[in-house]
Amino acid sequence: MTEYSRRRFLRVATGTGAAVVLSAAAGTAPAAAAPQGPRVYVLVVDGLRPDEIGPVLTPTLLRLREAGTHFPAARSLPVTETIPNHVMMMTGVRPDRSGVPANSVYDRAEGAVRTLDRPADLRGATLLDRLAATGRTTGSVLSKEYLYGIFGERASVRWEPFPIVPVSGHAPDLATADALIAMVDESDPDLVFCNLGDVDRVGHTDLTGTTLRAARSAALWATDLVVGRFVRHLRDTGRWASSVLIVLADHSMDWSLPHRTISLRSTMEGDPLLERRVAIAQNGGADLLTFTGPDAERAEAVARMRRLALATDGVLSAHEPGQLRLGPEAGDLVVYCRAGWRFTDPQVWSNPIPGNHGHPATAPIPFFVTGGHPAVTPGTSSAPARTVDVAPTVGALFGLPEPDGGYDGTARLAPVPASPR
Amino acid sequence: MCPRVNSRAQSALSRREVLRAGGALAATGAGLLAVPPAAAAAAGPFAHGVASGDPLPTGVLLWTRVTPAAEALPGSGAGPEVSVRWEVALDEAFTRIVRRGTVATGPARDHTVKADVTGLAPGTWYWYRFRLGGAVSPTGRTRTAPATGSALARLRFGVVSCSNWQAGHFSAYRHLAERDDLDLVVHLGDYLYEYAPGGYQAGEVLVRPHDPPVEMTTLEHYRRRHAQYKTDPDLRALHARVPFVVTWDDHESANDAWSGGAENHTEPAEGTWAGRRAASQQAYAEWMPVRYEPGGRLYRRIAFGALAELSMLDLRTYRSRQAAHPLDPVISDPARTITGSEQLGWLTAGLVTSGAQWKLVGNPVMIAPVRFPSTLSTRELEALSQLTGPLEGVPVNVDQWDGYTADRARVLGALRDHGVRDTVFLTGDIHSAWAAELPADPLTYPLTRDSVGTELVCTSVTSDNIDDILGVPPRTASVGVEAAIRVANPHLKYVELDSHGYSVVEVTPAAVQMDWFALADRTDPASAARHNASFVVRAGTQRVQRTGEPLR
Ligand SMILES: [Zn+2]
């Protein structure tokens, strides 16, 4: 593990004139003149729907997909939210092992619903620290404050998102791309984990609803441009031939009409056993319900919660967390909504945004392995790629041993038959 | 179904029609009503050919029918109990026989033979044959499915439906048999028709008469009719060439069948529906290369590695009675069903939890909603109504999923709610070619183009369609009708109402493509076929797109 306290700050000038501040673990070497071995860039276009990739709005992503191996059957994993899926990408294990099942959970110890954005929330090792421990350089360029929060200082080189857009809590893709390019120039990491947040954030805040997604379209177009800029930079600096890009989303997006909202809080409050004893962590398309009463009453309480939830208009299904490979952090019951609906808990006005994810309708994601590395080959695979497959795929590229207990994912190396290193 | 058949007003056969019916008939010199089933003696004990079906990774079902004695004619109930041997080899010369066995048969199952062979290797071509005494059957070729979960670069198969003996020759089957690129053939139903000669044919022309020369209603009739179809050289050639995966539609029993009756069934004159249906199902189980026995479940799922799985539906056995007309409010009654609740649960659970990339559904009747424009002429509407059912008010086909909107909403809702992608319905029944997207919500589709799946519909092998019904040359009157339908239904990307023929489907990780081939003349036993159109569904898109390039 990296010694977090011993770090240095790097101030890097960028092509767009902005200065980027990176922090690095002590002893991280600056870029060597010519890169050795593969450089792997995991680019997460947050919230991108697979059917949004096309020649008009996202020509760069389309070209990259066609040049690499495309996994059209790819899906996000429960809960289809940002933090758990980013954690699965970097750990290669499911939430019952990482401790990170959703963005928002009810913290029994603190007695409050909170975001899982603390470094200690993530149990076990990630690629960022495991690869760094082998002497390689890893980097994180995460546009969202809570992602920066949970991954903390695990990477050898980190960028803290800045400037932050108020309300959305994320840095715009232009700034994120500046940081990504600056980090590659400065430290040339073997692995960079990058989250581009604009497409998702604009999806959430786009109030134009189901039929007019003008802002979303503009974000897709703009994000595609910054990806194009990054690719061009890799080419211009002679890195393309050693680059492997894993491009995917953490989840997709589903739009709901204003009247299609579900408030389970009011439903639960009508039951005398459950009244004021159910905590609800709302995750857009999924509600995580925790019974806060005595353990002796839990079984009966959960049965009632399930019955009441399933009788509610717009609810798709209810699951024991273990069924979804979620640990105790997910509470007692996970409730999904149908497509075109959203949860708004604890209050009926808590979730005013039309674009949501967390429910199964938002599981399909884009997922392709591309780049100029000679081992990358064009093609399409039926394999059921998942977000949890990113870590084993990257690990295999670097010949990294599996973590304790093995991976829960599978290396998707159809396009890269041999480990180049 | 399908083209509504006028089951009353059947004209007696003219002498000219009888003569047109074919040289074989003329040569025997027999009167029409005494037409024997295929000449068993001439062809030996294996007069009905060999077939295979329902491939699994390590097994496949083999089929034949033996005629061990002259009196053991199909449907006769006569003839001895016999034991039939079968052999499966890795080569056509049978130098490497890998499996063999023996099956007993007799008059109780009309001397049909089914051997469910196990212990084979996945994704492998095999040759098979049967022996009865010293007689050896023709050799058949078959192929096992790929290993469970394995990567598969390509699956290619023929898709056919609606093969009416009386309406023409099965050139479509011959053209499919002559290809060497197919892994199997999917038959979506109306494999045979129940009508008497003169009941339903090629427009006004009886190309070749049915045997027995009556509407089939009894077990003997159903057996004899199956036997007659299996004497067709083109059908026999195709069965011997590749395995079939089949389901029935209505004509395997009677037109517009439902769980309690059929449009073309009259009680008590034609017996009880339960009895007639049981007879049709028994004959089907006996005569078709399908893993189905009477009283069992026809709907089933066949997997092709990680690439695809094929869910074959039975949309006749469990369905509620058709609505009386398209404005009948029962169309959306949630208590009515086209699948039955058990099959619906099986279908949706399978789609939602599928481990395969492409979820193919062998779907006997169309699921895409179809509304007919009000601008069509009365004559055009009448012709359409014969294809689709009665037209009054909002024209929809109440025999399709359009007549059971609650079940359709359940299926399409499951696809949408669970984010299921790459579901393709492969459909027959309507005697015309269609390519459609399946709107998540038909009202908002024109704005959002949100589609949850696609549907590709093959045309009929021979059965009548619009130009036949209107009595006009192909590609004349229908062209305007097709355009009007597309305007009224923006999710329908292709409608072709004239041609007969077959389709070829290719499934790869990148796309599903259907090529439609049209026969030059269904009444010509040597008819040529030409490529008519191709549509592709690219992975992850839920959209159909025309492509100029047929499969190579
Ligand atoms: Zn996200």
Side-chain angles (χ1 to χ4, degrees), chain B residues 193-216:
Chain B
Y193 281 72
E194 77 269 29
Y195 300 104
Y200 184 51
Q201 51 212 23
E204 296 302 309
V205 180
L206 176 61
V207 178
R208 42 183 187 167
H210 268 149
D211 176 84
V214 294
E215 181 178 320
M216 53 182 187

Side-chain angles (χ1 to χ4, degrees), chain B residues 184-230:
Chain B
L184 68 150
V185 161
V186 175
H187 201 301
L188 293 164
D190 295 346
Y191 180 95
L192 79 178
Y193 281 72
E194 77 269 29
Y195 300 104
Y200 184 51
Q201 51 212 23
E204 296 302 309
V205 180
L206 176 61
V207 178
R208 42 183 187 167
H210 268 149
D211 176 84
V214 294
E215 181 178 320
M216 53 182 187
T217 56
T218 69
L219 180 58
E220 182 194 348
H221 297 158
Y222 281 104
R223 285 170 161 175
R224 276 178 67 174
R225 188 66 53 81
H226 272 283
Q228 181 187 35
Y229 276 63
K230 288 280 196 304

Side-chain angles (χ1 to χ4, degrees), chain A residues 46-47 81-82 86 144 200 250-251 357:
Chain A
D46 202 309
E81 288 278 286
T82 302
H86 280 79
K144 292 178 164 178
D200 177 71
D250 49 348
H251 51 74
H357 43 85

Side-chain angles (χ1 to χ4, degrees), chain A residues 10 26 55 70 76 126 136 147 158 192-193 201-202 205 208 227 254-255 257 261 342 355 362 377:
Chain A
L10 314 167
H70 175 206
S76 171
T126 72
R136 295 179 180 84
L147 284 176
R158 292 85 57 174
V192 182
F193 185 39
R201 296 282 84 171
V202 174
T205 52
T208 50
V227 172
D254 177 45
W255 281 268
L257 296 170
T261 56
R342 67 177 183 267
T362 59
T377 53

Side-chain angles (χ1 to χ4, degrees), chain A residues 62-367:
Chain A
L62 182 62
R63 253 194 324 274
L64 287 172
R65 195 178 76 183
E66 286 173 349
T69 296
H70 175 206
F71 294 87
R75 292 175 81 86
S76 171
L77 288 169
V79 172
T80 55
E81 288 278 286
T82 302
I83 301 174
N85 277 284
H86 280 79
V87 167
M88 282 187 265
M89 289 177 209
M90 284 297 109
T91 59
V93 306
R94 299 289 290 267
D96 54 2
R97 294 173 64 195
S98 70
V100 184
N103 274 17
S104 172
V105 301
Y106 175 73
D107 185 325
R108 289 178 205 258
E110 297 187 10
V113 171
R114 69 171 181 89
T115 300
L116 287 173
D117 60 357
R118 304 172 188 169
D121 288 334
L122 202 179
R123 291 199 301 263
T126 72
L127 276 182
L128 299 173
D129 35 271
R130 292 204 300 129
L131 208 53
T134 67
R136 295 179 180 84
T137 304
T138 61
S140 60
V141 181
L142 302 169
S143 73
K144 292 178 164 178
E145 287 186 306
Y146 51 55
L147 284 176
Y148 181 77
I150 192 163
F151 284 103
E153 300 182 346
R154 285 172 182 266
S156 345
V157 191
R158 292 85 57 174
W159 171 66
E160 181 171 356
F162 177 86
I164 289 294
V165 179
V167 182
S168 77
H170 88 293
D173 288 354
L174 271 175
T176 310
D178 275 349
L180 173 63
I181 288 168
M183 182 183 286
V184 167
D185 284 347
E186 174 64 25
S187 304
D188 193 23
D190 297 81
L191 167 68
V192 182
F193 185 39
C194 175
N195 165 284
L196 296 166
D198 278 356
V199 168
D200 177 71
R201 296 282 84 171
V202 174
H204 283 306
T205 52
D206 175 17
L207 294 170
T208 50
T210 312
T211 54
L212 296 166
R213 297 177 194 162
R216 175 84 169 183
S217 295
L220 287 166
W221 180 76
T223 298
D224 191 73
L225 281 182
V226 309
V227 172
R229 201 176 118 222
F230 177 58
V231 168
R232 209 161 41 247
H233 187 77
L234 293 177
R235 288 185 192 279
D236 292 348
T237 56
R239 290 182 168 88
W240 186 244
S242 57
S243 296
V244 176
L245 276 69
I246 300 177
V247 182
L248 77 165
D250 49 348
H251 51 74
S252 71
M253 184 71 70
D254 177 45
W255 281 268
S256 50
L257 296 170
H259 64 284
R260 293 206 155 173
T261 56
I262 308 162
S263 174
L264 290 182
R265 153 81 47 158
S266 44
T267 312
M268 302 295 154
E269 289 303 302
D271 184 296
L273 178 70
L274 304 178
E275 193 181 357
R276 297 170 69 176
R277 296 203 291 182
V278 177
I280 300 181
Q282 185 253 110
N283 284 268
D287 256 5
L288 274 47
L289 276 55
T290 305
F291 181 63
T292 58
D295 278 346
E297 296 174 33
R298 186 173 311 277
E300 170 61 19
V302 172
R304 287 196 197 194
M305 282 153 54
R306 176 189 294 272
R307 216 165 36 240
L308 288 169
L310 291 178
T312 305
D313 210 14
V315 166
L316 176 66
S317 58
H319 307 264
E320 303 278 342
Q323 272 189 317
L324 305 173
R325 293 216 50 189
L326 310 177
E329 299 83 2
D332 295 313
L333 195 68
V334 178
V335 182
Y336 286 143
C337 69
R338 300 188 58 189
W341 291 75
R342 67 177 183 267
F343 289 105
T344 173
D345 276 308
Q347 308 299 338
V348 289
W349 59 83
S350 297
N351 181 5
I353 53 184
N356 280 279
H357 43 85
H359 46 316
T362 59
I365 50 169
F367 190 128

